[in-house]
Amino acid sequence: MVILGKTMGIKKPFTEVIRANIGDAQAMGQQPITFLRQVMALCTYPNLLDSPSFPEDAKKRARRILQACGGNSLGSYSASQGVNCIREDVAAYITRRDGGVPADPDNIYLTTGASDGISTILKILVSGGGKSRTGVLIPIPQYPLYSAVISELDAVQVNYYLDEENCWALNVNELRRAVREAKEHCDPKVLCIINPGNPTGQVQSRKCIEDVIHFAWEEKLFLLADEVYQDNVYSPGCRFHSFKKVLHEMGPEYSSNVELASFHSTSKGYMGECGYRGGYMEVINLHPEIKGQLVKLLSVRLCPPVSGQAAMDIVVNPPVPGEESFEQFRREKESVLGDLAKKAKLTEDLFNQVPGVQCNPLQGAMYAFPRIFLPARAVEAAQAHTMAPDMFYCMKLLEETGICVVPGSGFGQREGTYHFRMTILPPVEKLRTVLQKVKEFHIKFLEKYA
């Protein structure tokens, strides 16, 4: 480390920093999906379309994308809502995923990752002042994008707590409590759901989703369904149900009235293509005038990166049986998701062997969010450093092991409980080593502050 021209050679008790704090799969060693990168290479440098090194199914997709771009180039602007043929492919993907429930390309908006879509939708929904200011319900623990955007828009954050004792389940009675109390100081209008959960890794049951939709219909809440981990479901008894599909199957009283925005991304799943910043949102039952305002708002930023749009297209339009790239694509996808499932179980099992650590099953997503029970002396030491107790713990973990995780206080948690979030993305053997180091650190920490 260099400070003011002087080299500071402070010896650390570790050889590398392990960044288990962020869901960046490829930074942790995950290999890109070959087919996705082949199509991206062809789109970026079309001269390669003449090369025999690339399969025909990749060339076919690249040509289709390029023909829809101005000047046959990814370097041109697209329509603000996104390249038309890519929106058509997204709609076809949603229809396939949801067992034939129709999706309209006109309701698809390509975005700069899911984050851009979430912040854009919140912008058009927030209004009023004082007690009529828009309230936005978010899960606690939550992904900090939500609290940051709510704060930026000067909206009112309305917390509802996930049930840690019941594998971080969402309880509609807790939503009722949150809305009832919020109505005293704001106008609750928006309900955000993260499924599968980040940082908590739970996968919602169909019954839970139905209950949430019914509640949103009763309270006239706009639903935001953050579904970027929809491919990341590991527990045998769990499966992903999209809010769009469940809403449709609940019948026209719901499906024609409940406003819903659903989000997906290239960054998670089996793809891990965070850097392309590809994403989409599907927005249904939006009033035509509001839809006009949404398109106007999107046009201010011209368009999402066209390379990210192309990457999203490959995610929603992968090789199919009978195409030459299918077998390799299937093997690579299954390998990534199979490894993540093994690592989810390994992490849960090893954390639960550590005294003073309690970890719920990692049903989905790519994080563990274990609860840590800290001695009173550790809490006092943290207060003496004017730090949250779990922040104090995480800093000590970093200083002594080189393992970087995020304190639970960054996501929100019930008063008096402490957690941290750790990704399960390192390769299996490295993850095993990381978990062993955390165990050793935790036992020493408990001894020191007992």
Side-chain angles (χ1 to χ4, degrees):
M1 180 169 134
V2 178
I3 298 177
L4 298 178
K6 294 182 182 176
T7 302
M8 309 297 288
I10 302 166
K11 182 80 176 150
K12 295 290 181 188
F14 49 84
T15 55
E16 64 171 329
V17 173
I18 296 168
R19 301 178 196 280
N21 59 318
I22 188 167
D24 190 352
Q26 293 185 24
M28 297 305 289
Q30 182 177 307
Q31 291 303 298
I33 297 294
T34 302
F35 185 77
L36 190 146
R37 288 301 183 88
Q38 285 173 329
V39 179
M40 291 306 299
L42 292 163
C43 286
T44 306
Y45 189 60
N47 288 7
L48 293 173
L49 287 163
D50 297 325
S51 167
S53 303
F54 289 81
E56 274 309 312
D57 48 0
K59 290 179 179 179
K60 177 181 165 188
R61 282 163 178 76
R63 287 190 187 100
R64 182 167 184 269
I65 292 166
L66 289 171
Q67 283 164 9
C69 295
N72 293 325
S73 172
L74 286 193
S76 59
Y77 287 129
S78 75
S80 298
Q81 211 169 324
V83 174
N84 283 341
C85 77
I86 299 177
R87 286 164 48 217
E88 289 166 4
D89 287 348
V90 170
Y93 161 80
I94 293 169
T95 302
R96 283 195 312 276
R97 180 198 69 188
D98 292 346
V101 176
D104 182 350
D106 198 41
N107 291 335
I108 307 297
Y109 303 80
L110 300 177
T111 57
T112 309
S115 304
D116 170 51
I118 291 163
S119 55
T120 300
I121 283 290
L122 285 172
K123 267 182 197 168
I124 65 162
L125 296 177
V126 171
S127 63
K131 284 192 172 184
S132 66
R133 191 66 177 157
T134 299
V136 181
L137 283 94
I138 62 170
I140 298 295
Q142 54 111 15
Y143 177 51
L145 165 75
Y146 291 94
S147 53
V149 174
I150 289 165
S151 176
E152 182 187 354
L153 298 174
D154 200 26
V156 179
Q157 178 174 319
V158 179
N159 295 341
Y160 66 88
Y161 289 86
L162 301 176
D163 182 0
E164 183 169 12
E165 304 306 313
N166 191 20
C167 206
W168 298 112
L170 194 169
N171 187 316
V172 170
N173 288 332
E174 170 61 9
L175 290 179
R176 289 191 205 288
R177 177 209 60 79
V179 167
R180 184 176 64 250
E181 292 178 11
K183 283 178 176 175
E184 295 173 12
H185 60 270
C186 70
D187 181 13
K189 283 184 184 172
V190 186
L191 171 55
C192 301
I193 310 286
I194 309 174
N195 179 48
N198 174 13
T200 42
Q202 83 286 4
V203 178
Q204 288 182 357
S205 68
R206 185 194 168 87
K207 172 73 167 66
C208 174
I209 293 171
E210 285 180 2
D211 290 346
V212 169
I213 290 171
H214 179 72
F215 177 75
W217 173 78
E218 275 184 331
E219 294 289 340
K220 297 186 169 49
L221 297 173
F222 194 113
L223 272 174
L224 264 59
D226 181 341
E227 297 175 335
V228 300
Y229 296 100
Q230 59 190 258
D231 288 304
N232 301 104
V233 177
Y234 315 123
S235 291
C238 295
R239 61 178 285 226
F240 171 74
H241 301 277
S242 78
F243 267 75
K244 163 81 179 296
K245 182 181 185 188
V246 176
L247 177 61
H248 178 84
E249 291 174 349
M250 286 175 72
E253 189 173 14
Y254 295 94
S255 62
S256 301
N257 292 301
V258 175
E259 295 164 302
L260 170 68
S262 309
F263 306 90
H264 195 19
S265 163
T266 61
S267 301
K268 309 301 177 187
Y270 57 90
M271 307 79 68
E273 294 286 6
C274 304
Y276 275 118
R277 308 309 299 131
Y280 74 73
M281 58 182 176
E282 181 187 25
V283 189
I284 60 172
N285 293 328
L286 199 59
H287 189 282
E289 283 182 27
I290 307 296
K291 191 169 183 174
Q293 292 302 313
L294 173 59
V295 172
K296 196 183 292 185
L297 183 59
L298 290 170
S299 68
V300 172
R301 55 98 159 106
L302 297 177
C303 69
V306 180
S307 54
Q309 296 184 50
M312 191 75 246
D313 187 73
I314 306 153
V315 172
V316 299
N317 186 22
V320 296
E323 290 188 306
E324 64 181 294
S325 300
F326 175 72
E327 282 306 322
Q328 182 182 6
F329 168 78
R330 183 184 57 77
R331 275 197 314 273
E332 290 176 357
K333 177 180 176 180
E334 287 178 1
S335 172
V336 170
L337 293 176
D339 272 358
L340 284 168
K342 277 185 214 153
K343 292 188 283 189
K345 191 73 177 79
L346 173 72
T347 303
E348 176 199 341
D349 290 347
L350 290 187
F351 271 144
N352 283 325
Q353 291 170 19
V354 183
V357 176
Q358 185 178 297
C359 186
N360 272 322
L362 281 65
Q363 296 175 337
M366 47 185 63
Y367 314 98
F369 196 67
R371 182 173 177 182
I372 48 176
F373 294 83
L374 301 181
R377 283 187 59 222
V379 175
E380 288 162 13
Q383 288 165 348
H385 287 81
T386 61
M387 294 169 87
D390 48 10
M391 180 64 172
F392 177 74
Y393 177 94
C394 292
M395 288 302 293
K396 290 288 184 193
L397 177 67
L398 176 61
E399 288 165 8
E400 293 180 27
T401 67
I403 298 166
C404 182
V405 296
V406 188
S409 46
F411 301 93
Q413 55 200 349
R414 282 200 182 274
E415 190 73 29
T417 68
Y418 308 110
H419 303 79
F420 63 83
R421 188 189 81 166
M422 187 187 94
T423 72
I424 59 168
L425 292 172
V428 174
E429 286 315 308
K430 188 168 207 173
L431 179 64
R432 200 184 294 276
T433 304
V434 168
L435 292 166
Q436 184 59 34
K437 284 184 177 179
V438 173
K439 177 181 179 178
E440 291 165 5
F441 164 82
H442 187 80
I443 290 167
K444 282 186 200 163
F445 187 89
L446 292 184
E447 286 170 357
K448 180 175 180 180
Y449 292 100

